[in-house]
Amino acid sequence: MDVLRADHAANPRRLGAHLVGDGVDVAVVASRAREVELCLLDPAGDGTFTERRYLLRGPVAGVWHGHVPGVGPGQRYGFRVHGHWDPAAGLRHNPAKLQLDPYARAIDGAVALVPQIHDHLVGPDLAPLDGGTSADPADSAPYVPHGVVVDDAFDGHVPGPRVPWSRTVLYEAHVRGLTMRLPGLPEELRGTYAGLANPVTIAHLKSLGVTTIELLPIHASMSEPFLTTKGLSNYWGYNTLAFFAPEPRYATRAAREAGPQAVLAEVKGMVALLHAAGLEVVLDVVYNHTCEGGSHGPSLSLRGLDNTGYYLHDGVAPARLVDVTGCGNSLDFRRTRVVQLALDSLRYWVEEVDVDGFRFDLAVTLGRNGGDYTPYHPFLVAMVTDPVLSSVKLIAEPWDLGPGGWRTGQFPAPMADWNDKFRNAVRTFWLADAGAASHGHTGHDLRELATRMSGSADLFGLGEVPGGRGPLSSVNYVTAHDGFTLADLVAYDHKHNEANLEGNRDGTNDNRSWNHGVEGAVKDSIAAPILPLRRRSMRNLMGTLLLSAGTPMITAGDEFGRSQHGNNNAYCQDNEISWVGWELAPWRRDMLETTQYLLRLRAEHPVLRPTRFATGRPDPGDDVADLAWFDGAGLAMTAHRWYDVHNRVLQMLRSGRRSADRDALVLINGSLDQQMVTLAEGRGGDYELVWDSAWERPEYQRTTSDSDPLSLIASPHEVVEMESLSMRLYLSMP
């Protein structure tokens, strides 16, 4: 095949494929290559592709570049890389393997699980031959995705609402799972970007009261081979193939048939429509590893371009990948080009697609200098000081599987962190300890719960800035995509992951759940009495989440009690197990109304969403402490009461003076018995009961108030009766 020499690119430093003048400029990093060919793939009449090859110029600081005239939007392309083949040294150049541009902004095609996608010889079972040391000469181009040249122009941009952290409520959802079964949504829009931005979906989100949609990964991804061979797929998408290209599977059929440019336009349109509705879009992104897996995985992009330049190795011979992610490989954030790739990708999604922020999967990996993590890592510092990126929401999943991998509270401002300590404390108090008590065992004292409800100052009160990052940097959650749903937390003591075909070995065993006496769904009348208790426990969990200091995150469907039937690791379940079910039985409608009501209270009362850590003392001009704790007798908590594992009653009083609001008094009864609680004094004025988790629905408040308005008013030192395992919110009378 003839190989032509490409002209000079106008800007060799601009990586990727960009339309310039009469054609396209291309630049790619392959710092250890001897030659790099740009391969333009043109469809043939029989469904295959013909190939035109252009020898790129370079290298210039490891970059190969060129300009090819006559190339426009829709052109498929890839790279073939010539260089040393020496796996023991980490060098895996094999020009028979077409490599995807890491900067491709659209892709066409999918990975076929065949021997040809590997750079080394493998058998029919894809196991390596000759120890994986022999290069495979078979062409991979027909079996791998191709990059596609696109035009970035889009005339439908709508600025994001820029919701301040003090008003932010995150809603974690999957594009496909949220809309696959949504009533009223046209069939052709189910499971798509367009479906997520449809007025039917938006109406639910707006009525719920959330502000920010946190989408599970929409970067183009690949399912792990071990799943594909079982007939399963990586539904969650945490196995990235391309950091700039959207996942085509979530586009409508019409967009997919129109081509990758239309898929990209649908994603941009989704963001614009959500913005127009006043909703932010945050993307869950995976820069810690790629879908190329371990040393014997496929050669699709980074591995064939610059294996040792992109992936973390142990520095010995033979070269071995270092895996701190549990996914076979880890990107090496000591490398300048890795940092650049991640930063360029993030800026692209903000500047061109208009997203409002990111949640970083296994973010500790991104701050590792090889082995050790540091919050002053060049990537983290660059990101939080970047003029573009520092202005959007940045959220860390603050752990990975490497040494010293738990780092909650240790990321730099203005980042926020998922707070697993909050999750564990709330589950432990309301479920694990209550379940233990039902068997005559004691649980934990109240210190951890109070610390988490008050904003986790022990985690987020430290750092370079006095006072730390503040309570809003704590992303509080009780559930997330991984783990039990809210409904399953109160219905299962044990995981039930049989559908994952791993012998129920996958998924965590640390669920801190409580089935209330019967495992799983309850249908017979004998066990029916536990159902109201389960529902109350769900309301306790949701209430604690939304009445605590911090930024709350709700998992899609928890607002009305969706179930995954006990599967706590449904990453490979692209079916009814994971899809949100919208069939709302009466109790689910009650749960939805409760969630909506609590979110309205939170939005209307800034006292429920403090922006600073409390001092435990009154602000100047106030005679009530900004935050105070009392026991069930209405007395200030003393040291021995905090340490008393038998003390399960607590009152939290937060002054509203600082925020020009009413005072908030939260009562908690974590015991299995009804309790008589003496209300804390506060300012000496009356309180209004605005919510009780013993109420099946918030309408109970209005019904009671109409018949007996005084029944919701209580005075300081008044003794009120609380149901077992319940919580209340009082607000001081205006």
Side-chain angles (χ1 to χ4, degrees):
M1 179 182 296
D2 293 335
V3 180
L4 304 176
R5 188 167 181 81
D7 295 333
H8 285 274
N11 181 2
R13 295 180 179 274
R14 185 167 66 157
L15 300 175
H18 300 273
L19 296 171
V20 175
D22 63 348
V24 65
D25 274 4
V26 174
V28 64
V29 173
S31 61
R32 291 159 180 80
R34 185 176 66 250
E35 289 181 350
V36 177
E37 295 170 343
L38 168 67
C39 303
L40 301 181
L41 301 147
D42 304 309
D46 59 358
T48 61
F49 287 88
T50 61
E51 190 173 322
R52 293 176 284 150
R53 297 187 185 181
Y54 293 84
L55 187 63
L56 295 180
R57 296 177 180 271
V60 178
V63 177
W64 300 81
H65 67 93
H67 176 84
V68 179
V71 175
Q75 176 67 59
R76 275 67 173 163
Y77 73 101
F79 300 109
R80 295 189 186 275
V81 184
H82 300 259
H84 290 295
W85 172 262
D86 186 358
L91 302 175
R92 309 188 69 93
H93 302 113
N94 185 342
K97 309 305 171 183
L98 188 74
Q99 304 297 323
L100 179 68
D101 180 5
Y103 280 70
R105 301 189 300 288
I107 65 170
D108 181 59
V111 179
L113 197 58
V114 295
Q116 290 90 332
I117 67 173
H118 297 80
D119 58 13
H120 55 286
L121 290 174
V122 301
D125 60 354
L126 307 184
L129 303 177
D130 301 329
T133 60
S134 300
D136 176 51
D139 185 10
S140 69
Y143 309 104
V144 296
H146 307 150
V148 180
V149 177
V150 295
D151 185 347
D152 287 323
F154 180 73
D155 58 5
H157 290 289
V158 176
R162 296 286 182 174
V163 179
W165 278 106
S166 61
R167 290 188 172 274
T168 297
V169 179
L170 297 163
Y171 185 80
E172 191 195 37
H174 189 286
V175 169
R176 183 167 168 82
L178 182 64
T179 60
M180 277 299 291
R181 302 169 66 184
L182 179 58
L185 197 63
E187 184 67 28
E188 65 272 16
L189 299 185
R190 295 178 184 273
T192 69
Y193 300 117
L196 183 67
N198 185 270
V200 174
T201 314
I202 289 175
H204 173 73
L205 298 173
K206 295 295 289 184
S207 70
L208 182 58
V210 297
T211 67
T212 307
I213 315 306
E214 183 178 306
L215 294 177
L216 268 67
I218 66 169
H219 285 171
S221 63
M222 169 192 170
S223 293
E224 293 85 347
F226 80 89
L227 289 176
T228 303
T229 56
K230 295 178 181 180
L232 300 172
S233 64
N234 188 324
Y235 165 72
W236 287 348
Y238 290 92
N239 207 37
T240 306
L241 170 66
F243 296 111
F244 290 75
E247 175 53 58
R249 290 178 300 146
Y250 304 149
T252 57
R253 178 184 294 274
R256 295 197 307 271
E257 291 177 349
Q261 182 82 51
V263 172
L264 179 58
E266 185 174 315
V267 174
K268 292 181 178 181
M270 171 193 71
V271 174
L273 289 170
L274 290 169
H275 282 175
L279 295 166
E280 291 184 310
V281 180
V282 167
L283 301 184
D284 200 333
V285 289
V286 185
Y287 294 105
N288 57 78
H289 77 283
T290 76
C291 66
E292 291 183 307
S295 298
H296 299 309
S299 181
L300 305 172
S301 182
L302 302 183
R303 172 164 287 148
L305 287 166
D306 200 350
N307 181 50
T308 57
Y310 281 109
Y311 291 121
L312 184 62
H313 286 74
D314 59 7
V316 302
R320 293 175 298 185
L321 293 171
V322 175
D323 180 12
V324 296
T325 67
C327 302
N329 65 61
S330 305
L331 285 171
D332 188 351
F333 274 80
R334 296 173 301 179
R335 307 292 187 180
T336 300
R337 294 301 187 182
V338 172
V339 171
Q340 180 187 9
L341 173 64
L343 292 173
D344 286 349
S345 169
L346 294 168
R347 291 192 198 99
Y348 169 77
W349 285 94
V350 173
E351 295 182 310
E352 296 294 335
V353 188
D354 276 351
V355 303
D356 305 285
F358 306 94
R359 178 266 190 189
F360 296 90
D361 181 65
L362 301 183
V364 171
T365 300
L366 316 184
R368 285 187 181 273
N369 285 317
D372 297 330
Y373 167 82
T374 171
Y376 309 111
H377 189 282
F379 171 70
L380 299 178
V381 172
M383 183 170 60
V384 301
T385 58
D386 183 272
V388 173
L389 300 179
S390 62
S391 65
V392 301
K393 288 184 165 70
L394 304 172
I395 304 169
E397 182 186 38
W399 50 80
D400 69 7
L401 300 185
W406 184 84
R407 298 287 177 166
T408 305
Q410 299 177 41
F411 280 77
M415 296 186 74
D417 300 4
W418 272 25
N419 190 347
D420 55 317
K421 291 273 192 176
F422 180 93
R423 174 200 63 197
N424 292 348
V426 175
R427 289 187 184 189
T428 297
F429 179 80
W430 287 117
L431 301 177
D433 283 355
S438 70
H439 291 90
H441 306 298
T442 56
H444 299 76
D445 60 42
L446 297 170
R447 290 173 296 155
E448 182 74 5
L449 179 69
T451 301
R452 302 307 149 215
M453 291 186 68
S454 58
S456 296
D458 60 328
L459 299 175
F460 296 93
L462 308 174
E464 291 184 292
V465 178
R469 286 182 281 162
L472 296 174
S473 291
S474 172
V475 175
N476 296 338
Y477 67 105
V478 177
T479 67
H481 61 274
D482 55 344
F484 280 147
T485 66
L486 188 68
D488 288 352
L489 277 175
V490 304
Y492 294 91
D493 278 357
H494 309 286
K495 65 187 180 185
H496 296 268
N497 298 352
E498 291 79 9
N500 298 354
L501 304 181
E502 297 182 44
N504 205 35
R505 294 184 300 273
D506 62 302
T508 182
N509 293 315
D510 184 19
N511 295 297
R512 307 184 190 213
S513 56
W514 180 33
N515 64 17
H516 293 71
V518 178
E519 186 77 354
V522 171
K523 298 179 181 179
D524 59 81
S525 58
I526 297 177
I530 70 171
L531 293 177
L533 302 179
R534 286 182 174 181
R535 296 196 293 268
R536 188 186 304 168
S537 289
M538 290 174 60
R539 294 190 294 271
N540 289 331
L541 295 168
M542 184 66 76
T544 307
L545 173 64
L546 297 180
L547 300 180
S548 294
T551 301
M553 184 184 77
I554 298 172
T555 305
D558 277 354
E559 65 267 31
F560 46 70
R562 81 175 182 100
S563 173
Q564 291 182 166
H565 313 295
N567 192 319
N568 75 352
N569 190 36
Y571 77 107
C572 56
Q573 299 300 323
D574 188 3
N575 50 48
E576 287 80 1
I577 292 176
S578 291
W579 299 342
V580 175
W582 295 84
E583 302 78 15
L584 301 188
W587 75 266
R588 287 186 170 177
R589 292 189 182 278
D590 292 343
M591 184 66 201
L592 175 59
E593 291 183 16
T594 295
T595 307
Q596 292 170 326
Y597 177 69
L598 288 170
L599 282 171
R600 283 199 301 273
L601 285 175
R602 190 177 187 280
E604 293 168 358
H605 294 284
V607 68
L608 301 177
R609 38 188 174 85
T611 59
R612 291 186 290 173
F613 289 119
T615 64
R617 300 184 298 273
D619 286 340
D622 197 355
D623 53 3
V624 171
D626 53 7
L627 180 66
W629 299 95
F630 303 89
D631 61 17
L635 303 175
M637 286 286 288
T638 57
H640 79 276
R641 295 293 278 161
W642 282 118
Y643 285 86
D644 183 358
V645 296
H646 300 287
N647 179 24
R648 300 281 292 172
V649 178
L650 185 65
Q651 300 185 65
M652 178 180 74
L653 178 63
R654 191 178 292 277
S655 172
R657 184 70 59 85
R658 179 187 297 174
S659 52
D661 196 7
R662 300 156 72 178
D663 299 338
L665 179 65
V666 177
L667 272 59
I668 291 175
N669 176 19
S671 71
L672 299 182
D673 301 314
Q674 292 180 332
Q675 294 289 334
M676 306 304 294
V677 180
T678 302
L679 297 185
E681 180 174 4
R683 299 184 193 280
D686 289 343
Y687 297 106
E688 178 188 7
L689 177 62
V690 295
W691 181 67
D692 189 332
S693 68
W695 300 344
E696 288 281 357
R697 58 190 181 278
E699 277 76 4
Y700 181 92
Q701 178 201 21
R702 292 195 291 272
T703 302
T704 303
S705 180
D706 290 342
S707 60
D708 182 9
L710 296 180
S711 65
L712 301 178
I713 307 301
S715 302
H717 306 299
E718 182 175 331
V719 178
V720 299
E721 184 176 7
M722 290 188 69
E723 292 291 336
S724 62
L725 295 177
S726 68
M727 65 184 301
R728 288 182 173 185
L729 172 63
Y730 288 89
L731 294 176
S732 60
M733 294 295 289

